[in-house]
Amino acid sequence: MTNWKAYLIDLDGTMYHGNRMIPGADQLINAMRYNEIPYLFVTNNSSRTPADVAEHLRQLGIPAETEDVCTSAVAAAEYIAGLQPGARVAPIGEHGLIEALKRAGLTIDSEQPEYVVQGIDRSFTYEKLAQAARWITGGAKYVLTNPDLLLPGQDGLMPGAGTISAAIVAASGVQPVTIGKPSEILMKHAMDRLGVRPDEAAVIGDNMYTDISAGAHAGCGTILALTGVTTRGNLSELQAKTGVRPDQICDSLADVQSLVVSSLKSTR
């Protein structure tokens, strides 16, 4: 039996695929709410605000409120604000990132930024690349919301924030501080919000490279849900590549729910 008291739950591939809820997602969250189990939805997606993410979940039939959502954009903004309150920042990203930076009390400055904060930017251009390189080589610190190279799109896979970052790194010669999974920074941000220690929290996710690796790096428990990119067929290969083994493996979200409820009984 485990002694986990709180859960950090991935979204895409764990709760839903695009605009389709994964079976059992609504029942899992309802069970956690009914049993008053603390949790946060933790996502690398920096393009949406927490309110946008919660609305998307509700549209799919999954209970969610804005305060239930932790994004890499919010974590990045609060990371910078913690280091330097009111810092001048130049965002390369979309609505969710810009709103997070403003809410954290940071100053948007495209002239002499102290930080370049980059996420997914589907209007990224050569000029933005050139400007980012000039800012960073001129002394601005470089913060990346998440390192995802590819994202699922309506027409198939599309370049993610990590692909844009690869171009900026090549142009500037500077590696960013990465906030999102598999970095432990996003996990620590979420645990701080829940007020729990790593040994009291478990990450629920479908991706060995991001979710499970992030949980392991942060010292959390890990529950792999075989609902997305990781399958029984590729599990051994992914474990070898990541050097990480999940604490628990569940074939479905119904199995995750049973595990969570069992863990609850062992801690109360």
Side-chain angles (χ1 to χ4, degrees):
M1 301 293 286
T2 63
N3 61 350
W4 299 320
K5 298 178 181 178
Y7 296 86
L8 312 180
I9 307 171
D10 175 55
L11 290 178
D12 201 354
T14 304
M15 292 284 100
Y16 56 74
H17 291 134
N19 291 316
R20 179 174 60 84
M21 181 181 71
I22 292 172
D26 54 346
Q27 295 173 37
L28 170 62
I29 300 306
N30 278 323
M32 296 179 82
R33 285 186 162 201
Y34 177 79
N35 288 287
E36 298 182 338
I37 301 171
Y39 67 89
L40 283 174
F41 297 113
V42 182
T43 177
N44 269 5
N45 189 332
S46 65
S47 66
R48 293 175 172 173
T49 65
D52 294 335
V53 174
E55 175 61 25
H56 178 61
L57 287 166
R58 288 195 296 269
Q59 288 176 355
L60 298 180
I62 302 169
E65 303 298 333
T66 299
E67 58 267 24
D68 300 333
V69 179
C70 179
T71 72
S72 64
V74 170
E78 295 193 7
Y79 171 81
I80 295 168
L83 293 175
Q84 189 175 338
R88 302 189 307 275
V89 297
I92 297 176
E94 300 181 3
H95 172 66
L97 177 59
I98 295 168
E99 283 301 305
L101 296 172
K102 290 178 179 178
R103 286 180 177 272
L106 301 171
T107 303
I108 306 299
D109 185 340
S110 59
E111 298 297 325
Q112 293 184 312
E114 296 164 292
Y115 291 84
V116 174
V117 193
Q118 182 242 310
I120 183 65
D121 185 346
R122 282 164 284 201
S123 62
F124 190 66
T125 62
Y126 181 85
E127 178 52 37
K128 287 185 179 182
L129 171 61
Q131 184 63 77
R134 286 193 289 267
W135 285 327
I136 294 167
T137 55
K141 300 177 179 67
Y142 179 21
V143 174
L144 174 64
T145 61
N146 62 294
D148 300 309
L149 295 174
L150 293 171
L151 300 174
Q154 280 190 325
D155 300 319
L157 293 174
M158 55 188 287
T163 297
I164 296 172
S165 177
I168 294 174
V169 169
S172 68
V174 175
Q175 294 288 338
V177 173
T178 301
I179 303 298
K181 299 177 278 188
S183 168
E184 67 272 17
I185 295 175
L186 179 57
M187 299 294 103
K188 183 180 185 304
H189 172 79
M191 286 186 283
D192 286 347
R193 280 182 53 178
L194 290 174
V196 295
R197 303 187 308 267
D199 63 295
E200 297 175 321
V203 175
I204 302 172
D206 70 297
N207 192 315
M208 288 291 296
Y209 284 112
T210 55
D211 311 316
I212 305 305
S213 292
H217 294 159
C220 300
T222 52
I223 302 171
L224 174 65
L226 300 179
T227 52
V229 298
T230 305
T231 66
R232 290 284 179 187
N234 64 19
L235 177 57
S236 294
E237 177 187 356
L238 294 176
Q239 286 182 149
K241 286 184 176 179
T242 60
V244 171
R245 289 182 176 273
D247 293 309
Q248 299 285 345
I249 301 173
C250 295
D251 289 298
S252 68
L253 292 182
D255 292 342
V256 173
Q257 182 178 332
S258 296
L259 179 65
V260 167
V261 172
S262 296
S263 180
L264 171 67
K265 293 176 180 177
S266 72
T267 59
R268 292 184 178 177

